[in-house]
């Protein structure tokens, strides 16, 4: 699931569909086309002091514009090698239940996955300002719940429990 957050493809590492990606693609296309036209014009011009030289000026300008667009795409915000990932499952639990820290969660020797929901009960140790509490993280489908050792549900931040 987290692989979707890595920029891949032809657009120089820009996130697909972003301004940086569009700028990169247009700039690269202009650069390549103008470069080909310049090479063709230079090959057909026998005497560079005649009118053939002016035929290279417009493609040369397009070539420079293409280069500027291509390299300007690197300055745009969506052109990052590794876009930010969503927070891990532990970080989301910590925020939702207003915990200071959530220790490693295990179930039968397995660690709780950080990038997907996997059904099961995971034993954890949670820390708040004033105490250390043993909790169970219960995951069923797309629902997550926290339970104290006595079986009582912990209310999420902003919810009455």
């Amino acid at each position: 699931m987290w692989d979707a957050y890595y920029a891949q493809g032809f657009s120089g590492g820009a996130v697909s569909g972003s301004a940086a990606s569009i700028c990169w693609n247009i700039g690269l296309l202009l650069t390549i086309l103008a470069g080909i036209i310049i090479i063709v014009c230079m090959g057909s011009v026998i005497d560079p002091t005649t009118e053939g030289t002016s035929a290279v000026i417009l493609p040369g300008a397009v070539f420079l514009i293409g280069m500027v667009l291509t390299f300007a795409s690197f300055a745009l915000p969506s052109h990052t090698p590794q876009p930010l990932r969503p927070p891990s499952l532990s970080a989301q639990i910590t925020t939702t239940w207003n915990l200071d820290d959530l220790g490693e969660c295990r179930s039968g020797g397995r660690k709780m996955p950080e990038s997907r929901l996997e059904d099961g009960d995971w034993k954890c140790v949670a820390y708040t300002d004033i105490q250390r509490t043993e909790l169970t993280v219960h995951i069923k489908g797309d629902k997550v719940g926290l339970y104290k050792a006595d079986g009582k549900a912990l209310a999420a931040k902003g919810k009455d429990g």
Side-chain angles (χ1 to χ4, degrees):
M1 176 173 110
W2 263 239
D3 293 340
Y5 293 91
Y6 286 115
Q8 296 174 348
F10 183 68
S11 58
V15 176
S16 181
S18 67
S21 171
I22 293 167
C23 190
W24 169 271
N25 290 331
I26 291 172
L28 194 62
L29 180 70
L30 288 176
T31 302
I32 291 170
L33 289 178
I36 291 171
I37 291 170
I38 290 171
I39 290 171
V40 169
C41 286
M42 294 298 277
S44 66
V45 174
I46 297 169
D47 184 10
T49 61
T50 62
E51 293 178 23
T53 310
S54 62
V56 179
I57 293 174
L58 180 62
V62 171
F63 180 82
L64 288 175
I65 291 169
M67 291 296 286
V68 167
L69 281 173
T70 301
F71 289 108
S73 73
F74 288 107
L76 294 173
S78 58
H79 202 151
T80 55
Q82 293 184 344
L84 296 177
R85 291 176 155 201
S88 67
L89 182 56
S90 293
Q92 291 179 42
I93 289 171
T94 301
T95 303
T96 303
W97 276 274
N98 202 23
L99 304 170
D100 289 331
D101 189 29
L102 184 66
E104 186 175 81
C105 299
R106 293 193 165 269
S107 175
R110 296 180 307 142
K111 290 168 94 174
M112 183 173 70
E114 288 296 327
S115 61
R116 68 188 186 292
L117 295 177
E118 186 176 308
D119 287 356
D121 291 324
W122 309 90
K123 303 292 182 194
C124 309
V125 175
Y127 300 92
T128 60
D129 286 339
I130 54 173
Q131 65 185 22
R132 174 187 182 274
T133 309
E134 292 188 23
L135 299 173
T136 299
V137 176
H138 178 74
I139 301 173
K140 177 90 171 158
D142 63 347
K143 306 280 190 231
V144 177
L146 259 65
Y147 297 89
K148 293 182 183 178
D150 61 4
K152 291 184 182 176
L154 234 63
K157 181 172 52 175
K159 304 236 179 187
D160 291 331

